[in-house]
Amino acid sequence: MTQALTRWDCHAHVIDHRFPFARDRDYTPEPAPLADYLALLDRHGIARGVLVQPSVYGFDNRCLLDALDRADGSLVGVAVPAAGSSPRELKALHRRGVRGVRCNLVNAGGLEPEVLLRWQPVMQELGWHVEFQVAVADITDLRAFLEPFTVPIVIDHMGRPKPGRVDPSEPGLNRLVELIKAGACFVKLSAPYRLSNALPPWPDVTPLARALIAANPAGCIWATDWPHTQHPDAVREDDLMAALNLWCPDDRIRKAIMETTPAALYTHCT
């Protein structure tokens, strides 16, 4: 019997002040409890979520793992292990629900890509992926940057262009669109408010989101980016979902973005 698909939020953070922040962090966020996130998912009819290790915790994944332990199997995680972590330690993270590693080149204190390359054998064994938060416009040759990786690659937040530089023909973004078209990576249709100079539904981001979807719908996933850290204004998840409907009015394609693709990416290794 085929298991029914469910909707996914593919990028969120839990912030719990029981766990200490890294000293070299870029910012200090307000609490964002697990209970609030699970309630948000429930309100919007989303059954599964992906918790991503935020930069403020550095290589200390205890907050992430605690949330995964308490989520009753509804969440998976993307961790930031210490650079010296052994295959045995990565496998222990896997048993707690971790399904990928984040390389954050935007905030301070993240992993270097070379570390992830050393972990590729065990990552392949576990079925993990690499998630990059990177401003693609700052990378001269995005294809060459990603080419050494043999595990699936996910690019955060539509490649993190600067507000006002969201035209899909912009250098960096055009290369990302081509790589999505070629099936070389996945991209998160997320955080339009970080990329925009406009109010919701952030119409200046629409051409980029539509270009990514048109390039390869199966290469796109969606996320709330809750609790919207480092953003001064309140963000409504209703507006984020309305933006996705604007970018992708086709119900079948939207189902793939919110259900089929994330289910394959995050659960094939369970």
Side-chain angles (χ1 to χ4, degrees):
M1 183 175 178
T2 302
Q3 186 178 11
L5 292 172
T6 55
R7 297 203 295 177
W8 285 72
D9 172 14
C10 296
H11 192 112
H13 309 292
V14 164
I15 309 294
D16 188 330
H17 285 199
R18 293 179 300 155
F19 300 93
F21 294 132
R23 291 183 179 180
D24 61 349
R25 63 188 181 276
D26 290 341
Y27 64 101
T28 300
E30 294 296 319
L34 174 65
D36 289 1
Y37 179 58
L38 295 176
L40 180 154
L41 294 183
D42 191 53
R43 285 196 305 273
H44 292 280
I46 300 171
R48 303 296 305 272
V50 181
L51 293 184
V52 176
Q53 170 80 340
S55 64
V56 293
Y57 285 121
F59 305 116
D60 183 349
N61 293 275
R62 286 179 295 170
C63 180
L64 172 70
L65 296 172
D66 173 77
L68 295 180
D69 289 345
R70 294 188 288 123
D72 197 26
S74 63
L75 307 178
V76 298
V78 176
V80 182
S85 296
S86 67
R88 182 177 179 179
E89 289 169 316
L90 298 183
K91 290 177 181 179
L93 292 174
H94 184 84
R95 290 192 293 271
R96 301 280 293 275
V98 170
R99 296 296 178 260
V101 175
R102 189 187 203 197
C103 182
N104 185 345
L105 300 179
V106 173
N107 298 103
L111 289 167
E112 293 297 325
E114 292 76 13
V115 175
L116 279 63
L117 289 172
R118 294 202 305 267
W119 289 339
Q120 281 206 111
V122 68
M123 292 177 68
Q124 287 178 314
E125 178 185 345
L126 296 173
W128 284 14
H129 66 282
V130 171
E131 175 184 308
F132 282 106
Q133 175 160 232
V134 58
V136 297
D138 294 340
I139 298 179
T140 303
D141 190 337
L142 185 60
R143 183 181 295 275
F145 177 78
L146 299 181
E147 199 165 29
F149 291 92
T150 55
V151 297
I153 297 165
V154 179
I155 304 295
D156 278 349
H157 309 329
M158 293 186 264
R160 286 302 300 256
K162 294 179 181 178
R165 304 295 301 272
V166 291
D167 189 312
S169 66
E170 285 275 348
L173 293 180
N174 59 359
R175 293 188 287 270
L176 177 59
V177 170
E178 288 303 310
L179 289 172
I180 293 296
K181 184 176 183 179
C185 58
F186 298 88
V187 65
K188 290 181 183 176
L189 304 175
S190 55
Y193 53 89
R194 299 190 190 279
L195 321 180
S196 179
N197 288 318
L199 296 174
W202 310 284
D204 51 340
V205 179
T206 297
L208 173 59
R210 287 181 172 172
L212 292 166
I213 294 168
N216 182 7
C220 300
I221 55 181
W222 177 85
T224 61
D225 191 33
W226 185 87
H228 322 297
T229 58
Q230 292 186 283
H231 190 70
D233 302 320
V235 178
R236 298 174 64 250
E237 284 71 35
D238 284 340
D239 290 332
L240 295 170
M241 300 190 81
L244 176 62
N245 292 338
L246 177 65
W247 303 337
C248 182
D250 186 304
D251 290 343
R252 178 183 58 83
I253 295 176
R254 202 163 58 249
K255 182 180 179 71
I257 291 169
M258 293 194 73
E259 300 186 36
T260 312
T261 300
L265 179 63
Y266 294 108
T267 66
H268 77 280
C269 49
T270 56

